[in-house]
Amino acid sequence: MESDVPVDSLDPEVLRERIVAGEPVTILDVRAPNEYEEWHIEGESVTVANVPYYRFLDDGEGLLDSVPDGDPVVAVCAKGGASEYVAGLLKQEGLDAVNLAGGMNAWARILEAVEVSRVPGPATVVQLQRPSSGCLSYLLVEGDEAAVIDPLRAFTERYLELAEEYGATLEAVLDTHVHADHVSGLRDLSAQSGATAYLPDPSFDRGVDYDVPVEPIADGDVVSVGEATIEAHHTPGHTSGMTSYLVDDGLLCTGDGLFVESVARPDLEKGDEGAPAAARQLYDTLQEILTLPSETLVAPGHFSDAATPADDGTYTATLAEIGDSMAVLQRDRDSFVEFILSDMPPRPSNFEEIIAINLGQQESDDEEAFELELGPNNCAASQDALTSD
């Protein structure tokens, strides 16, 4: 089969809007099966099929029955070239087909800003959502000052632009821990804005080697942003340095320690050998978090397809809501550890290289860093049974 039929392109942002709105979306993913299985576009209203591009080259005539019905069918590949060709073939056969412009790489460049409505104190908190990987970061604005928690390097300019839109100057940038699933924007954002960069104090024991100033932040330390306060709470388990940030005594940015639908995996820093001890530490940490007021709003560092957004569109929930929905939090220590270690997902792609970059021990340019973090985050324990026993 050959095609030179002109094909319309669909911007990733438009596709995302349709999925969020619950509109029916039909996707034909033409990447290799292993790439598709690692990560692909999902959603409640999404129908998706994987038919590799090379099969259309070998036996295109027999593949039309494998293409799901759609109005239109959205062809997807890694960068948009192969899928454009396949969409042309489908149009030639009389099917309504469009090409996802830029493919999955462009999908990974979406970052959506959603204000958190249930915020205590004077600050405005904006949750930045990356749908391709489930990464969450936060912009906190109070008066004419701002801070960013867990920035992604790929979106450094976006944080700066958003702070400007709110009429604020970036004064602080904080990481909750040394990330394993994405390249941190801590140093880049600090260098470009002049904001003070903070990394949890215990993280420096892992061999941090930065060429720019970064301040250690210890348990109990407080960073002020206008009239708002950000208090550090050491919450180890996912990593030895994992630190949550309590904003105005009511909103807890938990990084990768506690999510609205899951809890952290404990094996990324010290591997399988160190995972049992880290899981026991995680249990103690979670029990301590649960002693905070039940109305404390948890603002995590990730979300998965198992997560249900709150009414304001953010992936946040109160401790009371999480406690009611996540049965694993009611287990005793030994049962919790056994459960968490029994069904962990694959480790994040390229996590060792990403950790080395985030420690400052390895360098990468922006494009290399972006390529390394493509795919799912996998920083949580399996969600399959966390909400029920």
Side-chain angles (χ1 to χ4, degrees), residues 14 17 58 62 123 221 255 379:
V14 175
E17 289 172 3
D58 296 338
D221 286 353
C379 282

Side-chain angles (χ1 to χ4, degrees), residues 7-19 25 27 41 72 74-76 98-110 112:
V7 174
D8 291 333
S9 293
L10 182 67
D11 289 336
E13 292 80 6
V14 175
L15 178 63
R16 173 65 178 166
E17 289 172 3
R18 292 180 181 177
I19 293 173
V25 171
I27 292 175
I41 299 171
V74 182
V76 177
V98 297
N99 180 48
L100 183 65
M104 294 298 288
N105 280 21
W107 180 253
R109 294 192 182 277
I110 296 176
E112 300 173 328

